[in-house]
Structures are given as C-alpha cells and as structure tokens.
Amino acid sequence: MLPALLPLLLAGATVAGRYEATWDSIDSRPTPEWFHDAKFGVFVHWGVYSVPAVGNEWFWSFWRQNEEKYVNFMKNNYPPNFTYQEFAKQFRTELYEPNKWADIFSSAGAKYLVVTTKHHDGYALYPSNYSFSWNAKDVGPGKDLIGPLAKAIRNNTDIRFGIYHSMLEWFNPLYEKDKGNAWTTQTFAKQKAIPELKEIVELFRPEVVWSDGEWESPPSYWGSTEFLAWLFNDSPVKDSVAVNDRWGSGTKCAHGGFYDCSDHYVPGGLQTHKWESATTLDSASWGYRREAALADYRTGAECIELLVKVVSMNGNLLLNVGPTKEGMIPVIMEERLRQIGSWLKVNGEAIYSTRPWSHQNDAVSSNVWYTQDKNKTAVYAIFVGWPPGGKGVLGDVRLAENATVTMLGYQGQLKWSAADSNVTVQFPDMSQVYQPGWAWALRLTGVAN
Ligand code: GLC
C-alpha cells in the first residue's frame, strides 16, 4: 500500500478519498476547524407558528391533539372553521430586513447562523419545488425569506450561514402513510424530505446543516448516510459544511457530526467529541411567543455564563431567537444578543478559536472556567462574577516564576502570588465595567501544568 494513502484509509474514507454511506465512514469525517473556532451561533425559529405566537412552535400539533390551551385560544379568538393553513396568509413579514438581522447577529459576536427553512408543519420559508402552495412565495410573504438572508449575512458579516431542516412533517399524508407501513415504504423520505433538503443545500450553500424531526424513524428510512455521503463528497459545501447528529432514531449523541444530543444539552464535564448546546433566549419556546414574561428570558449574565461553561467543555453555544410574524427580532432578544456581543468584544480572545484546557471548572473557585489558546501559548481563567475583595483564587493552576497574568480589557500586568497550591491574583479595579454577574477573563502565560 502506498504510504500516502494510509491516513485517508485510517480516516475511514475510501481510497478515492470519498465517504461511504456507512456510519463508520460518515463519523470519521472531522468536524471542520471553523466550527471548533466559532463557539457562538444564533438559531432562528420562524414560520407560520409565529402568527398565533402562543404556546410554542408546536402550536398546530398541540391544537390537533386537543390540548386545552390551544383549543380555547382558537375558540376565543377565531371563527369556528379557521385552519392552521389560514395563519399563513397573516405571515406577512412586512418589516423583515435581512440586513438588520445581519447587523444584530454580527453585533452579538455570533460566528454562525442556523435558520429554519422548514419546521414540522412542513411550511417552506423559500419557494420550494417540493412544497407546492405551502411555501413563503405562494402564501404569506409572497417572497423568498432565506436567499436574501444568506446574501445579507455573506455580504455584511463574517458569520457562516447555516440552515435548520425538519425531516418529518406532522400531517403530510405521504409521511403518515410510511408511518402506517411501519417505515417499510420510503415514499415521503425519497420524494419529499431528502430531495427538498438537497434543494436547500444547492440553493443556499449552507455551511451548517442542522437536521431535526428525525426521531420517529430509523436513519435507514431517511437514507441519512446516503444523504451525508453526498453532502460530504459531491455537494457545493462538501469541504466546509458542519452537521449535527439528528439523522434518525438512535443517532443523537452518536452519529453524524457534532453532537447536540437533546435540546438545551449541557454535559457535566469535558466531552472529547465536539458538541453544541442548542438552547433558547425565551426559556419556554423556540418560536416567538407573545405571552412570554420578562422572567422567562435568560439575562445577558446567564447567557455569558452559559457560553463560558459550554466553551470550556468543548462545546459551542447555539442561542435561539424567535422573530415575530412581521419579521422583527423582539427588542428584548436583540438587547440580550447585543449584551453578549459587548462582552465578547473585550473577552472574545478567551472564547473564539480556543480549545479546552486540562481543567474546566476550577477546584477552589467554582465560578471559574478555563480555556486555552489553540497554540497553547496562554490559558484563560474566566471568572463569572467579581471575586470577593477583587482577589481571584485559582486552585488548578501552577505558575512558573516568569509567568504573566493580565486581564482582558485592562492594560498592564496583575500581581499574583502562590501559596498552599493556590494562585491568588489581585484584580485591578474593573468591577464596574460590566453588569453584575458578567465575567472577567485572566490571561495566564507561563502555566507550568
Ligand atoms: C425539537 C423540537 C423543535 C425545535 C428543536 C430545536 O426537536 O421539536 O420544535 O425546533 O428541537 O432543537
């Protein structure tokens, strides 16, 4: 065997360097470097469910299952025979300006975007050739919502554009028929879900393909490994695309690309496989929900703390916003995003392009999380909340004599001392630069462990 081919074979690819439609081969593809570096993405759930904007994006399903809240809402506010499809006419998106979204996401410090192109209700947010009359061109906005956003993101920001796609469609008769046949027929998967997903990839060249709605049937029903082999071998984004792990029952946390596992996933410690925490600003819904109370929204401080923790454990944070039917990002969500961005502007060095260090959460100060620069020239100790008396105590760090300690956003070195296997750093007077509960990052060089 030619020695030059050895790494390819070891990586699970075929001799020709192509991926095969098997999990062994698909799983051998490394997560693209850019995704490791990006750390923070914005998720957008937007669609017909943003019209009633009550409960959550499962509105149609819950209503059809006769859940009281939804049945009463419809009874009290709409004529008796009103259908979910009729909401689509009110999905006008008349205030939608993709450039404004791009500005907000970029001010948030996000490095990738994942936007719903189709959720479980089947409505496509672009003129899909596979969703006749149930798409944004034919009913509602009267135009493509996705293409202009991809363009605004690419033209105005350094954000990578990505898409969410639901495999299943709750009430699609073809899907229901395959389900009735215990997935022995694949009409819906072969004629609808997969061709539409390929169309999305070809039209919008997303660098994240975030699959969902896969769980009722096995990957063999969807043809997931075949799709992924196409995506990695022959699609227009074959080299740079990152994918998640929702490709059929049993694949979460096990197959595909980076692991999302369950919604809002946060593991208890370092994960060697690249993972992502997909979660929401409104704790109770992915779609916009008019009845949300202020307390339901995560604060800026909570978002920053989550980001820091997640990154230290080898994750990315994908934080969701739900735009309104008019196409506005609710200002409370915009504010939270901009708060994260203002923190990242100063402290991004301790987040972006970092890699996990040997320790994640400090043994003495439980509010301290570690990262390290990818060239291993510095360790970052990120303090969530201001330490008492401005004395930062680190139990997991050993410093060489010539070590330096600085604080991001502050000029000059900080005084430190070592005793009883702890390092104590005297913080400069920076407690007022952020709001309470935000985080301060120390940059340490000369770390001896
Ligand atoms: C779930 C939900 C869905 C949401 C998604 C985001 O699978 O069904 O409404 O889009 O998670 O992670």
Side-chain angles (χ1 to χ4, degrees):
M1 183 189 313
L2 286 172
L5 292 178
L6 204 58
L8 274 180
L9 287 175
L10 289 176
T14 62
V15 175
R18 291 174 63 84
Y19 291 93
E20 288 168 6
T22 63
W23 284 126
D24 273 355
S25 179
I26 296 298
D27 293 344
S28 73
R29 180 176 181 267
T31 295
E33 185 86 353
W34 78 259
F35 190 82
H36 283 279
D37 291 346
K39 307 300 186 198
F40 179 43
V42 169
F43 208 174
V44 173
H45 273 67
W46 196 33
V48 172
Y49 43 82
S50 316
V51 174
V54 160
N56 66 33
E57 72 289 346
W58 279 58
F59 188 99
W60 193 13
S61 173
F62 289 140
W63 176 24
R64 290 263 298 243
Q65 291 168 48
N66 287 322
E67 287 234 2
E68 213 181 315
K69 173 181 171 127
Y70 298 84
V71 172
N72 287 343
F73 173 79
M74 290 311 295
K75 214 193 289 171
N76 296 334
N77 298 291
Y78 289 87
N81 296 320
F82 196 89
T83 63
Y84 182 79
Q85 285 85 336
E86 286 175 84
F87 282 128
K89 290 187 215 157
Q90 298 170 31
F91 186 47
R92 299 294 305 154
T93 71
E94 65 271 31
L95 304 179
Y96 177 44
E97 288 187 42
N99 284 335
K100 279 197 185 160
W101 286 25
D103 171 60
I104 294 171
F105 302 152
S106 133
S107 303
K111 298 296 176 199
Y112 61 107
L113 172 67
V114 178
V115 62
T116 48
T117 52
K118 182 192 85 168
H119 202 256
H120 312 328
D121 61 6
Y123 180 85
L125 279 80
Y126 70 99
S128 163
N129 285 318
Y130 298 90
S131 202
F132 181 67
S133 291
W134 191 226
N135 68 68
K137 180 88 171 95
D138 291 339
V139 57
K143 62 183 179 209
D144 175 16
L145 301 175
I146 302 299
L149 181 60
K151 197 169 158 201
I153 292 288
R154 293 196 172 110
N155 288 354
N156 307 336
T157 74
D158 64 351
I159 296 173
R160 307 251 182 171
F161 181 77
I163 61 90
Y164 164 107
H165 170 266
S166 170
M167 294 284 216
L168 70 77
E169 293 175 22
W170 289 315
F171 308 118
N172 188 311
L174 295 177
Y175 182 70
E176 291 182 315
K177 200 167 172 200
D178 287 347
K179 194 193 290 195
N181 293 335
W183 314 115
T184 54
T185 53
Q186 287 174 284
T187 315
F188 175 79
K190 287 197 164 151
Q191 291 179 19
K192 177 70 162 77
I194 296 298
E196 196 169 43
L197 182 52
K198 283 190 173 173
E199 176 183 71
I200 290 168
V201 170
E202 279 165 349
L203 281 174
F204 307 116
R205 291 173 287 112
E207 293 183 274
V208 180
V209 172
W210 211 100
S211 176
D212 188 32
E214 81 306 342
W215 58 81
E216 293 187 323
S217 42
S220 57
Y221 166 76
W222 296 115
S224 295
T225 53
E226 289 79 7
F227 168 78
L228 289 165
W230 169 80
L231 187 68
F232 298 161
N233 291 329
D234 299 312
S235 81
V237 285
K238 63 187 171 63
D239 297 322
S240 62
V241 71
V243 303
N244 68 343
D245 56 351
R246 297 186 182 179
W247 299 103
S249 49
T251 64
K252 276 184 196 169
C253 244
H255 294 299
F258 58 86
Y259 293 166
D260 271 290
C261 305
S262 44
D263 290 350
H264 316 287
Y265 175 62
V266 182
L270 177 66
Q271 305 295 300
T272 49
H273 190 93
K274 185 65 189 174
W275 63 281
E276 179 188 66
S277 184
T279 191
T280 44
L281 263 177
D282 169 3
S283 56
S285 180
W286 298 86
Y288 177 59
R289 184 175 68 105
R290 289 176 294 155
E291 78 271 31
L294 183 61
D296 294 331
Y297 290 99
R298 274 182 211 272
T299 63
E302 285 165 348
C303 294
I304 291 166
E305 177 171 19
L306 183 63
L307 175 66
V308 165
K309 259 190 209 183
V310 160
V311 169
S312 103
M313 296 188 290
N314 198 26
N316 281 7
L317 176 64
L318 182 63
L319 187 61
N320 180 76
V321 298
T324 67
K325 67 177 172 27
E326 291 83 12
M328 293 292 292
I329 311 281
V331 289
I332 187 83
M333 299 194 186
E334 175 180 349
E335 183 205 39
R336 300 294 142 92
L337 290 180
R338 289 188 189 274
Q339 287 175 335
I340 300 168
S342 71
W343 183 81
L344 278 168
K345 217 170 176 173
V346 177
N347 297 285
E349 182 187 326
I351 299 288
Y352 301 125
S353 298
T354 60
R355 294 294 179 269
W357 188 49
S358 54
H359 297 257
Q360 282 66 56
N361 192 195
D362 189 75
V364 174
S365 299
S366 60
N367 60 324
V368 173
W369 297 84
Y370 292 103
T371 61
Q372 73 177 319
D373 147 43
K374 79 170 154 173
N375 306 317
K376 302 193 172 180
T377 52
V379 170
Y380 299 95
I382 308 172
F383 283 73
V384 177
W386 188 255
K391 280 196 190 330
V393 181
L394 300 173
D396 286 330
V397 168
R398 305 285 164 267
L399 291 182
E401 259 174 42
N402 62 349
T404 64
V405 181
T406 53
M407 179 182 281
L408 301 187
Y410 178 80
Q411 295 272 329
Q413 295 198 14
L414 310 190
K415 288 211 169 78
W416 61 273
S417 57
D420 303 332
S421 74
N422 289 340
V423 166
T424 302
V425 179
Q426 183 55 54
F427 280 29
D429 185 18
M430 294 277 282
S431 62
Q432 303 304 310
V433 294
Y434 305 122
Q435 299 182 20
W438 288 28
W440 288 260
L442 300 183
R443 180 178 197 275
L444 316 169
T445 67
V447 175
N449 62 323

